[in-house]
Amino acid sequence: GLGVVIPEGFEPDILDNYELGWKLSFMDQRAQFNGAAYFMQWDRLQQSFANFQVAPFAFLTNTTDAEVYGVEGDFAFAVSEALTLTGAFSWVNAELTSDFEAPGVSDVFVAEKGTQLPFAPDFSGNVALRYEAPLTGDLTGYVQGTAVYTGEQTNALTDTATAPVQTMDAYTLVNAAAGVFAGQWRVELF
């Protein structure tokens, strides 16, 4: 056998979070900018593992410690009475602060200091431009375009013999929509 020791249990993880936020409004309330800068110290990070060469089930264990810090924000700007520009962004650095080797599974689960936490892209953001105006007495119409960007990210903390860490490429989604609405009903094309 592989001499694998499945942990009998796991300890609670501890997360200390420090955050400084702001809400700003200017240009006679036509522009808003909200955001936060943050730092998190995550001790005894918990991780679920599934490697069916080791065990016929997934198990949860404590890994090591991690730090997460970044800045996030959103904005809205009324370009005119009918035209609005909105958006949001997130820049984050999320990584292990020391090496991790799962108990009893040497050379199967290994993550080095500096390994990016899974599903934590360095940057993501979105922007939308919407034009909305009355068409008739009760009927309002709009057209809108949006773009959403998600940065490169991984799907797991560690490789296993059956499931290596996969890097998901950065991607951008672009959407457009148009519609009309009045009272409780709405018709949209997107």
Side-chain angles (χ1 to χ4, degrees):
L2 294 173
V4 173
V5 176
I6 304 297
E8 291 181 17
F10 53 90
E11 297 293 320
D13 56 350
I14 297 171
L15 180 67
D16 292 321
N17 183 40
Y18 306 94
E19 188 170 329
L20 175 65
W22 60 88
K23 291 185 177 286
L24 305 173
S25 181
F26 42 96
M27 298 178 66
D28 292 328
Q29 307 293 324
R30 289 183 39 225
Q32 295 177 347
F33 178 52
N34 307 313
Y38 55 89
F39 174 80
M40 292 181 252
Q41 177 62 48
W42 200 348
D43 296 332
R44 296 191 306 247
L45 177 68
Q46 294 175 355
Q47 179 72 39
S48 177
F49 293 103
N51 182 336
F52 299 112
Q53 290 182 339
V54 173
F57 52 85
F59 62 92
L60 192 63
T61 189
N62 295 98
T63 58
T64 187
D65 300 335
E67 282 183 355
V68 180
Y69 59 89
V71 178
E72 60 189 13
D74 64 79
F75 68 90
F77 177 55
V79 179
S80 69
E81 196 169 306
L83 186 63
T84 305
L85 176 66
T86 60
F89 69 92
S90 174
W91 173 79
V92 62
N93 183 48
E95 61 186 35
L96 296 180
T97 56
S98 59
D99 294 339
F100 165 65
E101 190 169 312
V105 286
S106 178
D107 298 326
V108 177
F109 304 116
V110 178
E112 296 178 354
K113 176 181 178 178
T115 299
Q116 181 181 1
L117 297 184
F119 304 107
D122 288 341
F123 182 81
S124 59
N126 64 72
V127 65
L129 187 63
R130 181 180 177 105
Y131 181 82
E132 183 176 307
L135 299 175
T136 64
D138 291 337
L139 193 62
T140 301
Y142 77 91
V143 292
Q144 175 176 297
T146 62
V148 178
Y149 173 81
T150 302
E152 183 179 275
Q153 58 189 306
T154 59
N155 70 333
L157 184 60
T158 62
D159 286 328
T160 68
T162 58
V165 171
Q166 299 289 316
T167 299
M168 297 175 283
D169 292 334
Y171 61 91
T172 302
L173 300 174
V174 177
N175 297 299
V180 293
F181 58 92
Q184 297 290 334
W185 68 270
R186 145 183 330 256
V187 176
E188 296 178 307
L189 176 64
F190 50 94

